[in-house]
Amino acid sequence: MSVESAGDGRVNLLGFERAGLEAFVAGLGSKPFRARQLMQWIYGRGESRFTAMTDLAKDFRAQLAQHAEVRAPEIVTTQRSADGTRKWLLRADATQAIEMVYIPEESRGTLCISSQVGCALDCSFCSTAQQGFNRNLTTAEIVGQVWLAARELERDFVPPPGASPGQRAITNVVLMGMGEPLANFRNVVPALRVFTDDFGFDISRRRVTLSTSGLVPQIYRLAEEVNVALAVSLHAPTDALRSELVPINRRHPIAELLEACWHYLDEQNGRSVTFEYVMLDGVNDQPAQARELVRLLKGRPAKLNLIPFNPFPGTRYRRSPLPAILRFRDELLAGGVLATIRRTRGDDIDAACGQLAGRVSDRTTVRLGNRLIGVAVQP
Ligand code: SAH
């Protein structure tokens, strides 16, 4: 876990999962239950001012004010789409920014957050890849996105007509923004725990989704660490094509990736893995390719989510026409594989999948052996 400090020695409490906060509180000479009280203030009520946390002892509040802070990323800009989608540009440092998107629907509100500044995986159809990679976000920056969005949204949230009683603005969190979450395993895992913790955001495990391009060893590790829903960017039925679209496939081919997915479900008692499949005109959208997918996934606990490609400047791909997408879906359904089409939201503000570019000014990627390690270089 990375614990972020303001530079004045104060520790950002958003960087702690419950166990870490208990240890921190113990270090100040307080009992572990104080950590749970603190979490109720921070996550239950969105409070950042220790002076307002009135059921904590005065001395303890004073200690907290001296040694700790609750600090979310700063908002650079906010945009609203005609369909209600909102996109925030958030400061990562002096020159760089990440993006976060909120997608309201009838019965849920989904927050899509980032895990890295840029991305090192170089998928050919993704605009984040074009930005290059700068650095991993800290746990506090990952948790801070949800904390900030909850505060911003709850202010004027009116539950939609179909909402369940007490429904909050954010019901689902997906790690589908900028970055490859499993390449930032160390900081992402504690954040996932804060999302699902009763004293954290208290979101059901099935409503927190980590999406990965297919870092196989980390999928095995994840299975031992947390219990959240898994989405995997598949995008092609064969290794030849997938290696072209998602280069990590050269290291971890489809058969290995699928084994890791089934293992994950076994360990987690999960129901199914969602496979994302971006629909690229003339590249991966042919009926024969749907039938190949059926051969791969039939009888498996898998759902396919077809994502119409979202174009961005400079891309060589085009979105599959709607009839081709429908035909592809029908071919999958006829073959006995569950498939849905993801509705494109927020594309008028470039908030749709794969359009999150943020601002990545330093693109330093150092390859060390087999691992990709990003190094932040200050301008
Ligand atoms: N790195 C993770 C999560 C981020 S991307 C991953 O690869 O899964 C979230 C989803 O959007 C992924 O399935 C990704 O492949 C898809 N995506 C990327 N670029 C896209 C684009 N231009 N149009 C549609 N979907 C895209």
Side-chain angles (χ1 to χ4, degrees):
M1 181 186 346
S2 68
V3 173
E4 195 187 307
S5 130
D8 58 3
R10 282 190 297 163
V11 172
N12 191 349
L13 300 187
L14 296 178
F16 288 123
E17 60 185 293
R18 197 201 301 188
L21 193 59
E22 283 172 350
F24 178 77
V25 161
L28 296 178
S30 281
K31 293 254 160 26
F33 79 91
R34 293 286 176 211
R36 299 197 290 274
Q37 275 182 309
L38 251 177
M39 288 182 81
Q40 279 171 326
W41 278 107
I42 298 171
Y43 301 109
R45 306 206 201 180
E47 186 55 69
S48 60
R49 298 159 305 165
F50 299 121
T51 48
M53 302 182 182
T54 45
D55 60 355
L56 300 178
K58 258 208 162 131
D59 293 354
F60 182 48
R61 280 188 266 160
Q63 270 183 315
L64 286 170
Q66 195 187 342
H67 299 290
E69 62 174 349
V70 175
R71 186 164 48 88
E74 209 181 292
I75 298 173
V76 181
T77 57
T78 308
Q79 279 175 281
R80 276 174 193 248
S81 159
D83 68 13
T85 300
R86 284 198 223 186
K87 181 169 88 167
W88 293 269
L89 190 67
L90 305 176
R91 191 177 305 288
D93 58 42
T95 55
Q96 316 203 69
I98 51 161
E99 291 185 327
M100 165 172 89
V101 177
Y102 176 67
I103 306 147
E105 287 171 283
E106 271 295 293
S107 54
R108 62 181 175 189
T110 303
L111 188 72
C112 176
I113 61 170
S114 293
S115 56
Q116 299 182 308
V117 182
C119 187
L121 280 135
D122 211 23
C123 299
S124 59
F125 52 87
C126 180
S127 87
T128 304
Q130 315 255 306
Q131 307 293 306
F133 174 72
N134 177 258
R135 69 169 173 91
N136 285 327
L137 294 180
T138 63
T139 300
E141 287 171 319
I142 300 167
V143 171
Q145 291 172 68
V146 184
W147 187 83
L148 177 72
R151 276 230 313 200
E152 291 286 303
L153 294 163
E154 297 289 350
R155 240 190 278 146
D156 56 359
F157 179 63
V158 185
S164 44
Q167 187 175 308
R168 300 175 71 168
I170 299 170
T171 61
N172 295 54
V173 172
V174 298
L175 278 94
M176 295 186 188
M178 295 169 69
E180 166 50 53
L182 291 185
N184 185 13
F185 194 90
R186 205 167 63 107
N187 296 338
V188 163
V189 164
L192 295 172
R193 294 207 182 103
V194 174
F195 300 159
T196 56
D197 191 325
D198 313 349
F199 290 94
F201 292 106
D202 194 21
I203 301 173
S204 131
R205 302 167 184 291
R206 294 210 165 81
R207 290 173 173 272
V208 174
T209 303
L210 181 143
S211 177
T212 178
S213 56
L215 270 60
V216 167
Q218 284 87 337
I219 294 174
Y220 284 97
R221 277 176 66 199
L222 191 71
E224 315 218 320
E225 295 277 347
V226 282
N227 188 342
V228 295
L230 183 66
V232 171
S233 293
L234 187 59
H235 304 317
T238 62
D239 281 319
L241 181 59
R242 189 165 191 270
S243 293
E244 210 180 281
L245 300 174
V246 185
I248 191 78
N249 191 71
R250 292 180 208 139
R251 204 178 305 161
H252 304 297
I254 294 174
E256 233 182 75
L257 174 60
L258 294 182
E259 271 316 306
C261 292
W262 314 143
H263 171 83
Y264 185 84
L265 290 182
D266 280 349
E267 289 293 303
Q268 306 272 339
N269 273 325
R271 290 178 191 162
S272 63
V273 171
T274 300
F275 291 96
E276 294 151 298
Y277 196 96
V278 61
M279 298 298 295
L280 305 168
D281 186 20
V283 175
N284 66 354
D285 64 349
Q286 302 301 304
Q289 290 165 315
R291 290 191 290 274
E292 286 180 278
L293 282 176
V294 168
R295 280 197 287 280
L296 273 183
L297 299 176
K298 192 183 163 90
R300 297 295 195 166
K303 278 192 260 184
L304 265 164
N305 194 211
L306 306 177
I307 315 174
F309 172 64
N310 294 307
F312 51 88
T315 181
R316 61 178 184 275
Y317 298 109
R318 287 182 314 267
R319 177 184 293 184
S320 306
L322 186 60
I325 299 177
L326 294 172
R327 166 116 203 252
F328 199 86
R329 181 202 55 189
D330 292 344
E331 198 74 55
L332 290 165
L333 293 175
V337 172
L338 265 176
T340 51
I341 298 170
R342 190 179 291 179
R343 193 149 63 98
T344 299
R345 298 287 302 268
D347 52 348
D348 55 336
I349 54 168
D350 287 344
C353 305
Q355 292 184 319
L356 301 186
R359 247 187 241 156
V360 184
S361 49
D362 300 309
R363 311 170 177 195
T364 312
T365 303
V366 177
R367 279 165 204 269
L368 205 77
N370 250 353
R371 289 170 55 209
L372 292 172
I373 295 178
V375 182
V377 178
Q378 290 306 322

